[in-house]
Amino acid sequence: MLELVSQMFSYGFLNRALLVGTLVALCAALLGVSLVLKRYSMIGDGLSHVGFGALSVAMAMQLAPLAVAAPVVVLAAFLLLRISENSRIKGDAAIALIASSSLAIGVIVTSLTSGMNTDVYGYLFGSILAMGAGDVAASVVLSAAVLVLFVLFYNKIFAITFDEAFAQATGVNARGYNLLIALLTAVTIVVGMRIMGAMLISSLIIFPALTAMRVCRSFKGVVITSALVSVVCFFCGMVASFAFSTPAGASIVVANLSAFLLFALVGALRGKLPG
Amino acid sequence: MALISCKGVSLRYENRLAVEDASFEIEAGDYVCIVGENGSGKSTLLKGLLGLKSPDAGSISYGDGLEQRMIGYLPQQTVVQKDFPASVYEVVLSGCLNRRGMRPFYSPAERQIAGRNIERLSIGGLRKKSYRDLSGGQQQRVLLARALCATEKLLLLDEPVTGLDPVVTAELYALIRQLNREGVTVVMVSHDIVCAVHNAGKILHMGTGVLFYGRAEDYPDSEVGRRFLGGDHHA
Ligand SMILES: Nc1ncnc2c1ncn2[C@@H]1O[C@H](COP(=O)(O)OP(=O)(O)OP(=O)(O)O)[C@@H](O)[C@H]1O
Ligand SMILES: [Mg+2]
């Protein structure tokens, strides 16, 4: 096991993937707590599909993938947030529409130009080879920003997540913070999508929060646990992917699923036991 | 100077008028009960008083050193909150948010305020428990403690007893009356009209406009009061 891990660290591209992935996993988990509790998890899913569409179009037009995808996904985040704010049920349907439309456009554009090659497969299901030095720099800056903002605004994020009307009544700019969270989510998705793939990145946002909520009783507990769970699952998924030559993104999702089942079991057992 | 004075306030959603030309004053120490049929604009009026909705006509002004963000608010519960993983202490402490301004973390003084209000509503035993594991009545107490952290002056309550059993309802009313005696001004939306007449000092009857505003004793004899209270108040 140890040998395996040290072997992993000897590959430069794997090091980069591990670093970027760990940071993305951390950010996704923190943002995920707020998104899941606000019933906004669909936004993460919608954004990743939009990201895929943007990446495919960028590739077809031979533009830099990140430079195109980032602004498009950020714009989509604002749009989706607006839709969800106005009415929840209709918002759900609208997000599904936008998501599948972007996916369809992406697929058509690629089939008309390059065809379904390994690059497209990488966008859909992730590739640890995708990380260049630029991605590393971008993800370090991004994660630092997410972490600092999250810690500084932790109490406000709690208040807004728990009860937006009350937070607003006490002078918090709830809309502003919602936009901030949507923005950070968009950037996290764009960076994380390269490793996890457009189809799987949203699980990185949703799973850790849900897992932590099985056992934790306080908000702080949920936040810390989901961050830990996310990073640990990411690492286990990467090791498993290396050991069994399975795709990285899918292995990480399965690691998250295992953690979720384990925590659900613990939660259920604890509910049964007195005290 | 009144604590809150509304002059010709109108509030609308897109093209529908929810509150029309409401004028009234709330004095410090009042206990005002807002009554009226469903959709008569009660919740909307509260949102106006809180500054969540700005008036489309007229003005709402605060006196007596009251600031808008220093109002305690007990909203109607949303679905999200019911299964929210947060400890009672975290929820109550979040009521101190308005005291903080731009400072990122709570000070010991604010933690003390939260602790004091937890004791005040006798939920000390629940402090570490999760909000989602509480009964409806306990949850309302927690939210009331949170509202008290935000204010010493004015509490706005939107149907605080909905879904509570008669015993807990009576307890909550007693608690609110107690807070009012301690000097907190209370404005409460309630459908429990008989109880409102007994508890409150003043009644504000909404029907898009203000149909009645005055002392609770006078309400049963007023025309709208007679109609709204129905046959059971002929004494
Ligand atoms: N978010 C909204 N968008 C559009 N119209 C709204 C909105 N909220 C309320 N209304 C409308 O405004 C009017 C007043 O609503 P309000 O919620 O203030 O009534 P209420 O007196 O609190 O009713 P209830 O006793 O049922 O709580 C209603 O006709 C309602 O349909
Ligand atoms: Mg209402």
Side-chain angles (χ1 to χ4, degrees):
Chain A
M1 173 77 190
L2 264 182
E3 230 171 89
L4 198 71
V5 172
S6 69
Q7 208 182 336
M8 277 174 77
F9 277 112
S10 63
Y11 294 99
F13 73 90
L14 260 183
N15 273 340
R16 283 198 295 275
L18 277 174
L19 176 63
V20 172
T22 308
L23 293 173
V24 166
L26 194 61
C27 297
L30 294 181
L31 296 168
V33 172
S34 191
L35 289 176
V36 166
L37 284 170
K38 285 180 79 98
R39 306 281 192 269
Y40 283 173
S41 4
M42 276 301 286
I43 290 186
D45 203 44
L47 288 183
S48 56
H49 288 67
V50 171
F52 171 76
L55 281 184
S56 321
V57 171
M59 199 170 62
M61 296 166 67
Q62 300 188 332
L63 300 168
L66 265 188
V68 175
V72 170
V73 174
V74 167
L75 266 180
F78 289 164
L79 187 69
L80 292 187
L81 190 72
R82 269 216 93 106
I83 294 172
S84 314
E85 267 174 354
N86 289 344
S87 136
R88 229 147 254 179
I89 301 165
K90 268 192 261 161
D92 242 29
I95 290 171
L97 277 184
I98 292 176
S100 47
S101 307
S102 323
L103 194 60
I105 290 172
V107 169
I108 286 182
V109 166
T110 46
S111 70
L112 284 181
T113 52
S114 58
M116 289 298 262
N117 56 20
T118 42
D119 279 352
V120 179
Y121 182 82
Y123 289 156
L124 277 173
F125 298 107
S127 158
I128 48 171
L129 300 172
M131 289 292 118
D135 294 309
V136 174
S139 67
V140 169
V141 171
L142 153 77
S143 339
V146 171
L147 284 177
V148 168
L149 288 173
F150 198 88
V151 170
L152 277 183
F153 296 131
Y154 169 82
N155 286 307
K156 287 192 174 144
I157 289 174
F158 169 78
I160 290 166
T161 310
F162 181 67
D163 188 343
E164 200 165 309
F166 183 87
Q168 241 173 332
T170 54
V172 177
N173 178 1
R175 281 214 54 152
Y177 284 92
N178 281 338
L179 281 181
L180 180 70
I181 287 177
L183 175 77
L184 295 176
T185 308
V187 184
T188 305
I189 282 175
V190 170
V191 175
M193 200 162 65
R194 314 295 299 287
I195 298 182
M196 294 296 295
M199 297 296 104
L200 301 175
I201 178 71
S202 60
S203 66
L204 216 55
I205 291 178
I206 299 167
F207 255 128
L210 283 182
T211 303
M213 279 163 67
R214 291 312 100 195
V215 294
C216 294
R217 298 212 164 117
S218 69
F219 189 72
K220 201 183 245 166
V222 170
V223 167
I224 293 171
T225 310
S226 80
L228 285 178
V229 164
S230 182
V231 170
V232 169
C233 285
F234 172 77
F235 197 74
C236 293
M238 286 296 275
V239 171
S241 133
F242 188 70
F244 306 116
S245 311
T246 47
S251 315
I252 294 163
V253 174
V254 170
N256 269 299
L257 174 65
S258 317
F260 176 79
L261 293 177
L262 184 71
F263 275 57
L265 187 70
V266 170
L269 286 180
R270 206 166 67 178
K272 290 239 169 63
L273 293 176
Chain B
M1 175 86 196
L3 199 59
I4 298 184
S5 37
C6 292
K7 291 198 189 75
V9 171
S10 295
L11 296 158
R12 57 168 73 239
Y13 295 100
E14 277 116 48
N15 44 22
R16 160 187 247 130
L17 206 54
V19 172
E20 188 177 17
D21 196 22
S23 301
F24 57 90
E25 294 196 334
I26 294 170
E27 307 285 337
D30 273 353
Y31 185 154
V32 180
C33 218
I34 305 181
V35 300
E37 290 162 35
N38 291 125
S40 56
K42 304 182 296 292
S43 299
T44 310
L45 181 63
L46 277 201
K47 284 186 195 145
L49 295 183
L50 278 166
L52 296 181
K53 250 183 109 40
S54 43
D56 297 278
S59 69
I60 301 175
S61 51
Y62 306 99
D64 264 355
L66 181 72
E67 275 180 57
Q68 186 167 70
R69 42 187 198 86
M70 289 297 175
I71 300 176
Y73 176 43
L74 187 73
Q76 278 173 312
Q77 274 195 308
T78 57
V79 196
V80 179
Q81 289 174 20
K82 295 256 189 239
D83 60 350
F84 199 95
S87 71
V88 166
Y89 183 65
E90 284 178 319
V91 174
V92 175
L93 189 61
S94 75
C96 292
L97 202 65
N98 60 353
R99 298 173 191 269
R100 260 180 357 155
M102 284 314 287
R103 272 186 296 129
F105 305 109
Y106 293 109
S107 68
E110 284 151 359
R111 290 175 185 279
Q112 244 172 24
I113 293 173
R116 204 157 3 105
N117 284 314
I118 285 178
E119 291 312 319
R120 199 167 175 188
L121 296 197
S122 37
I123 45 176
L126 306 174
R127 197 182 166 106
K128 290 236 155 56
K129 278 200 129 187
S130 189
Y131 179 79
R132 62 181 164 181
D133 297 336
L134 304 182
S135 73
Q138 290 169 329
Q139 288 186 339
Q140 287 301 77
R141 274 174 186 258
V142 172
L143 294 185
L144 194 53
R146 176 185 68 166
L148 283 172
C149 282
T151 189
E152 287 296 324
K153 286 200 163 133
L154 176 63
L155 270 182
L156 298 188
L157 314 163
D158 199 345
E159 299 187 31
V161 297
T162 311
L164 303 184
D165 72 45
V167 177
V168 178
T169 299
E171 269 176 30
L172 204 67
Y173 277 136
L175 197 64
I176 293 167
R177 209 168 31 210
Q178 174 65 27
L179 291 171
N180 181 243
R181 281 204 207 96
E182 288 169 15
V184 183
T185 309
V186 176
V187 177
M188 176 167 79
V189 173
S190 174
H191 281 296
D192 192 345
I193 180 75
V194 178
C195 223
V197 170
H198 286 143
N199 277 304
K202 287 183 181 170
I203 302 277
L204 174 61
H205 190 127
M206 291 294 296
T208 312
V210 176
L211 300 184
F212 175 91
Y213 182 56
R215 296 189 318 153
E217 298 94 283
D218 301 336
Y219 180 70
D221 298 325
S222 70
E223 172 151 6
V224 2
R226 258 202 308 274
R227 207 150 23 90
F228 204 59
L229 285 167
D232 59 303
H233 209 96
H234 284 306

